[in-house]
Amino acid sequence: MTDSSDVTACEWEREPDPSDSLRTFGAVVQALREHAGLSRVDFGARVRFSRHTVESVELGRRMPDESFVERAEEALGNTGALRKAAGHLTRGEAGLAAWFRRWARLEKVAVSLCTYECRLVPGLLQSEGYARAVFDNSIPPLSDEQLEAQVVARMERQRMLYERPNVPFSFIVEEHLFRRRLGGREVTRGLLDHVLGLTAPRNVTLQVMPLDAEFHACLDGPVRLLETPERRRLAYSEGQQNGRLITDAKEVSLLYQCYDTLRSQALNPKDSRGLLERLRGEL
């Protein structure tokens, strides 16, 4: 018989944005349940949670509490697999798209990071006002709570720029992104001040790709590149509602070649800062 108090408690654990670990844990539960020949209804009766709750856990939509894990272990043979797996459970990272989380974790430990952007000023360089303007243009519209979570997460990521002074950060950004007054004149003024401040340290390099450039090595779109502490090179490409971590050595090598060529085509760091300062003076 289902314990209504347990069902209610688990309802409060519904995850708005499931993490990879929750999905993996759920898949393990489902595999063990099916191996035991139990339906979700039968299994729910044994662990004293509803079929709906069992389904939500298996799909990674709910964080299982300790009682669920222990009862599931007993019902599925006491192998210890679920107890060990539960120790690695994490919630989704608020404000970060599911497809971006793995790259965001790699960023935190990278020994170098390169970013080319042609759509928006990169998140690591965005001012709070610019970030709010970006998320304010989301379709469908975000709730106030969702928008705030997005902004907080974006600003939190920027801490690595000044907390990791020995890591080289390179940015190449299209000039038109700084000329576009997303959010209005005041927001753009704040953005330029913010970017000039963030790119002042020696380990942060910004190059602007000018509007009148006759050659362009990255016409296929934005790209991010990083090197891990193990000296492995990885790349990331993002599009509409999706992102792709690129691990193939040949493909990553080609993207590094494109980025290196683009560096030679963009304005040098000194001229890039001069351009931003002139744009700031025009506002």
Side-chain angles (χ1 to χ4, degrees), residues 93 100-113 160 164 226-230 232 234-236 245-247:
E93 298 170 73
F100 184 72
R101 288 177 189 149
R102 188 177 178 188
W103 183 260
R105 289 193 292 270
L106 289 168
E107 278 184 338
K108 293 178 180 179
V109 297
V111 296
S112 69
L113 182 68
M160 74 175 79
R164 308 186 68 203
L226 64 73
E227 189 173 0
T228 70
E230 297 76 33
R232 186 183 183 194
L234 302 172
Y236 176 79
L245 179 64
I246 303 168
T247 60

Side-chain angles (χ1 to χ4, degrees), residues 221-243:
V223 66
R224 304 172 197 227
L225 307 164
L226 64 73
E227 189 173 0
T228 70
E230 297 76 33
R231 302 302 172 181
R232 186 183 183 194
R233 288 180 163 186
L234 302 172
Y236 176 79
S237 177
E238 191 171 80
Q240 294 281 352
Q241 299 297 307
N242 68 82

Side-chain angles (χ1 to χ4, degrees), residues 91-258:
R91 297 186 184 279
E93 298 170 73
L96 295 181
W99 60 83
F100 184 72
R101 288 177 189 149
R102 188 177 178 188
W103 183 260
R105 289 193 292 270
L106 289 168
E107 278 184 338
K108 293 178 180 179
V109 297
V111 296
S112 69
L113 182 68
C114 301
T115 302
Y116 163 64
E117 257 299 351
C118 57
R119 307 164 303 170
L120 294 166
V121 171
L124 286 175
L125 297 180
Q126 292 179 7
S127 65
E128 182 174 337
Y130 184 91
R132 288 185 183 280
V134 169
F135 295 125
D136 197 41
N137 279 275
S138 297
I139 297 177
L142 301 176
S143 68
D144 291 343
E145 292 77 13
Q146 290 172 323
L147 191 149
E148 190 63 30
Q150 296 275 22
V151 172
V152 169
R154 182 143 299 180
M155 295 299 102
E156 180 68 20
R157 282 182 61 226
Q158 290 184 10
R159 293 177 56 185
M160 74 175 79
L161 293 179
Y162 52 85
E163 288 182 346
R164 308 186 68 203
N166 300 118
V167 174
F169 295 92
S170 170
F171 297 91
I172 303 176
V173 184
E174 294 289 339
E175 178 181 345
H176 73 266
L177 298 180
F178 295 113
R179 290 187 176 276
R180 177 184 296 154
R181 295 181 180 178
L182 185 68
R185 184 185 298 268
E186 288 301 317
V187 168
T188 304
R189 184 181 291 115
L191 169 69
L192 292 171
D193 286 340
H194 189 71
V195 171
L196 287 167
L198 284 179
T199 57
R202 291 194 303 266
N203 66 312
V204 184
T205 303
L206 171 67
Q207 291 180 258
V208 175
M209 193 64 186
L211 290 172
D212 59 1
E214 296 182 7
F215 301 95
H216 200 300
C218 285
L219 292 176
D220 286 337
V223 66
R224 304 172 197 227
L225 307 164
L226 64 73
E227 189 173 0
T228 70
E230 297 76 33
R231 302 302 172 181
R232 186 183 183 194
R233 288 180 163 186
L234 302 172
Y236 176 79
S237 177
E238 191 171 80
Q240 294 281 352
Q241 299 297 307
N242 68 82
R244 182 169 71 102
L245 179 64
I246 303 168
T247 60
D248 179 77
K250 290 184 178 180
E251 190 173 355
V252 172
S253 177
L254 176 59
L255 291 172
Y256 264 92
Q257 291 177 48
C258 291

Side-chain angles (χ1 to χ4, degrees), residues 7-54:
V7 174
T8 302
C10 205
E11 289 292 339
W12 286 102
E13 296 294 338
R14 186 174 182 85
E15 297 297 309
D17 205 357
S19 66
D20 290 341
S21 64
L22 279 173
R23 292 190 180 94
T24 300
F25 179 85
V28 172
V29 172
Q30 182 174 354
L32 291 175
R33 173 183 61 76
E34 292 176 347
H35 180 72
L38 298 172
S39 68
R40 282 176 174 157
V41 172
D42 294 335
F43 180 65
R46 295 194 182 193
V47 298
R48 303 199 297 280
F49 284 97
S50 70
R51 179 202 63 77
H52 177 70
T53 296
V54 171

